[in-house]
């Protein structure tokens, strides 16, 4: 297997500069380009955004396009697999340190405490991401064979909020209320699942030494954050002049176990010690991905071995089958009338309650094709294949 990571990363323990970060990001984007495009294809099925007829409808006027109907199977096949094989929350088992009921009770209490912490972290109010992280991870593994996670400490929950320049009063009051309701029962664990492509790593390392994340911040949040870093001698303040305080600004974070650096466009805004003392982003590939013999290795190959890619063709054909039958049914129910006389006069009569002076032999209904029995047999066969 070719090592796609060779030569793209600088020493993770060395204080980074902007040139090194940009070089790393450019190399990672190139490495992940095909894989991210494949991921987008898989998600188009899960979100039912794809056209079941492919290129046929491209460039056609709306009235000449074939109807695109998606059955619930596109989504259900993934959700059912995740729900059937993945627990919502991890469980913990602690071996007692000794014999007897006292040690057994102590071990059980540790198990309960850890489980409670994780459940709370999964359902934490104010999290940047809705949903249960492990279910999101499971869904991504089924869709693309790959998933990521952030596991760190929620330091911000301990700090009383301060109003930032440009922040609306209502938003500050909401943050203050959240802090008042949460800080006395603070949970230090913070778990998030980044969106696909939001964080890039070495392609195959489960515990990557370097992670680079693109994220969005409000202009007023970025200005306040960099002002704080400048005051501590860790960076340069970013000026939000000529911007709406609520504009979304894309920044780049580079994480190692030693350093955290933040850039905006080509400017290095801050570099500081990583207070976690670990690189908090991890990735996981599905356990059944294999490298293809005789072909140069690429992570796109691994993405395309996911469950969703195995059923794409069947899902597309099933949806085409249902759309075709539906079109024939609709065309038959609302077939056009054929009239041998004055069509305009007949159409005007159709708008009233009575039709007169019309020879029944002059009226017929548009002839439509009869559905072959094979269409129904094919539907059943496709359903069995998916099951």
């Amino acid at each position: 297997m070719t090592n796609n990571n060779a030569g793209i990363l600088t020493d993770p323990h060395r204080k980074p500069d902007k040139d090194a970060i940009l070089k790393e990001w450019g190399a990672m984007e190139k490495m992940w380009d095909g894989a991210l495009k494949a991921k987008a294809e898989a998600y188009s099925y899960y979100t039912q955004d794809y056209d079941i007829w492919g290129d046929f409808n491209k460039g056609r006027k709306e009235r000449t396009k074939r109807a695109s109907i998606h059955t619930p199977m596109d989504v259900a096949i993934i959700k059912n697999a995740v729900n059937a094989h993945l627990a919502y929350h991890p469980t913990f088992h602690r071996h007692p340190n000794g014999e007897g009921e006292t040690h057994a009770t102590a071990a059980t209490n540790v198990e309960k405490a850890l489980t409670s912490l994780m459940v709370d972290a999964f359902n934490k109010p104010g999290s940047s991401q809705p949903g249960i992280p492990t279910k999101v991870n499971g869904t991504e593994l089924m869709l693309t064979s790959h998933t990521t996670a952030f596991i760190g400490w929620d330091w911000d929950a301990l700090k009383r909020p301060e109003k930032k320049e440009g922040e609306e009063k209502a938003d500050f009051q909401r943050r203050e209320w959240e802090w008042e309701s949460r800080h006395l029962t603070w949970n230090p664990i913070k778990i998030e699942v980044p969106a696909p492509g939001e964080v890039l790593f070495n392609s195959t390392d489960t515990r990557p030494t370097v992670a680079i994340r693109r994220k969005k911040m409000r202009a007023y949040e970025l200005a306040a954050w960099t002002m704080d870093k400048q005051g501590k001698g860790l960076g340069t303040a970013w000026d939000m002049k000529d911007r709406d305080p609520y504009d979304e600004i894309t920044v780049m974070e580079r994480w190692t176990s030693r350093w955290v650096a933040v850039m905006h466009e080509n400017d290095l805004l801050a570099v500081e010690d990583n207070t976690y003392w670990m690189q908090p982003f991890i990735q996981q590939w599905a356990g059944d991905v294999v490298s293809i013999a005789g072909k140069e290795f690429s992570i796109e190959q691994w993405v395309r071995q996911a469950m969703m890619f195995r059923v794409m063709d069947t899902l597309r054909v099933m949806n085409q089958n249902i759309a075709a039958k539906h079109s024939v049914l609709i065309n038959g129910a609302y077939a056009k009338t054929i009239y041998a006389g004055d069509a305009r006069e007949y159409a005007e009569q159709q708008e009233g309650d009575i039709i007169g002076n019309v020879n029944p032999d002059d009226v017929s209904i548009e002839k439509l094709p009869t559905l072959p029995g094979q269409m129904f047999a094919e539907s059943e066969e496709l359903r069995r294949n998916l099951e």
Side-chain angles (χ1 to χ4, degrees):
M1 181 175 75
T2 303
N3 181 7
N4 280 16
N5 307 318
I8 72 166
L9 301 178
T10 56
D11 182 355
H13 301 292
R14 192 182 76 188
K15 190 172 184 178
D17 57 54
K18 71 173 185 178
D19 291 335
I21 296 172
L22 291 172
K23 180 181 178 182
E24 287 174 338
W25 179 258
M28 287 181 179
E29 279 193 313
K30 183 177 180 181
M31 178 196 306
W32 283 91
D33 181 60
L36 290 178
K37 289 177 180 176
K39 284 189 175 191
E41 184 180 352
Y43 272 91
S44 73
Y45 276 73
Y46 189 67
T47 58
Q48 300 185 315
D49 288 335
Y50 71 101
D51 191 320
I52 65 173
W53 301 106
D55 293 337
F56 179 85
N57 282 339
K58 286 185 178 178
R60 290 178 175 268
K61 293 181 179 179
E62 198 63 34
R63 62 183 179 82
T64 63
K65 289 182 179 180
R66 291 176 180 170
S68 190
I69 297 174
H70 297 275
T71 70
M73 189 66 75
D74 293 352
V75 179
I77 196 168
I78 298 298
K79 284 188 175 291
N80 289 345
V82 172
N83 292 336
H85 300 289
L86 189 68
Y88 287 172
H89 302 106
T91 57
F92 297 88
H93 179 67
R94 165 84 175 187
H95 289 285
N97 287 333
E99 298 292 334
E101 185 177 345
T102 301
H103 289 291
T105 300
T108 300
N109 289 338
V110 170
E111 293 173 355
K112 290 180 178 179
L114 290 174
T115 301
S116 296
L117 278 173
M118 294 300 290
V119 170
D120 181 71
F122 282 7
N123 300 283
K124 184 176 293 185
S127 172
S128 63
Q129 178 195 48
I132 300 173
T134 47
K135 290 195 70 175
V136 178
N137 289 139
T139 300
E140 290 185 346
L141 287 171
M142 292 291 181
L143 287 172
T144 68
S145 294
H146 180 258
T147 190
T148 60
F150 169 91
I151 304 175
W153 304 116
D154 189 7
W155 299 123
D156 292 339
L158 290 179
K159 302 174 185 176
R160 176 180 284 276
E162 296 180 358
K163 192 173 185 303
K164 302 170 183 177
E165 181 183 351
E167 183 180 19
E168 293 180 0
K169 182 179 179 180
D171 286 340
F172 169 68
Q173 289 175 335
R174 176 186 54 78
R175 291 197 300 118
E176 190 174 41
W177 177 86
E178 285 181 354
W179 181 83
E180 289 284 1
S181 65
R182 293 169 51 199
H183 78 282
L184 295 178
T185 55
W186 173 61
N187 181 353
I189 300 173
K190 184 178 181 180
I191 303 173
E192 293 180 357
V193 181
E198 181 180 334
V199 184
L200 297 185
F201 319 83
N202 292 355
S203 61
T204 57
D205 294 345
T206 302
R207 273 286 184 184
T209 57
V210 176
I212 301 182
R213 178 189 193 182
R214 286 182 300 189
K215 72 174 188 178
K216 294 186 182 295
M217 299 178 68
R218 300 290 189 186
Y220 75 84
E221 292 174 331
L222 180 59
W225 185 84
T226 55
M227 183 68 72
D228 176 67
K229 300 306 175 186
Q230 179 175 269
K232 296 175 181 177
L234 299 173
T236 304
W238 179 78
D239 192 347
M240 68 171 176
K241 67 179 180 181
D242 301 327
R243 287 185 180 273
D244 186 306
Y246 280 76
D247 281 349
E248 288 192 332
I249 309 299
T250 301
V251 299
M252 186 185 298
E253 296 176 339
R254 182 205 188 248
W255 288 80
T256 70
S257 60
R258 178 70 179 83
W259 301 101
V260 181
V262 177
M263 292 188 63
H264 170 58
E265 296 178 344
N266 290 323
D267 296 324
L268 185 60
L269 300 179
V271 181
E272 62 180 334
D273 291 336
N274 180 357
T275 55
Y276 295 151
W277 287 103
M278 67 175 186
Q279 194 284 99
F281 293 95
I282 59 174
Q283 66 177 343
Q284 182 63 54
W285 288 96
D288 58 351
V289 293
V290 296
S291 298
I292 301 175
K295 289 190 177 183
E296 183 178 355
F297 170 75
S298 75
I299 51 179
E300 182 182 354
Q301 295 172 5
W302 282 3
V303 171
R304 291 188 177 277
Q305 291 173 34
M307 177 180 172
M308 177 55 87
F309 286 92
R310 308 297 190 191
V311 298
M312 276 183 178
D313 288 344
T314 304
L315 287 171
R316 182 186 290 273
V317 173
M318 172 178 275
N319 289 332
Q320 288 176 347
N321 181 287
I322 291 173
K325 287 188 293 188
H326 178 71
S327 294
V328 172
L329 176 65
I330 293 299
N331 289 339
Y334 301 98
K336 297 183 181 302
T337 301
I338 300 173
Y339 181 55
D342 187 331
R344 179 178 296 178
E345 178 184 347
Y346 184 73
E348 289 176 353
Q349 290 196 53
Q350 291 287 318
E351 296 177 2
D353 296 328
I354 299 175
I355 299 176
N357 299 322
V358 174
N359 184 349
D361 294 335
D362 292 338
V363 180
S364 60
I365 301 297
E366 178 186 13
K367 189 175 181 180
L368 297 169
T370 303
L371 286 175
Q374 291 91 331
M375 289 187 71
F376 298 95
E378 183 187 39
S379 295
E380 182 60 23
E381 182 179 355
L382 290 168
R383 186 189 61 80
R384 288 198 302 268
N385 287 341
L386 287 174
E387 290 178 351

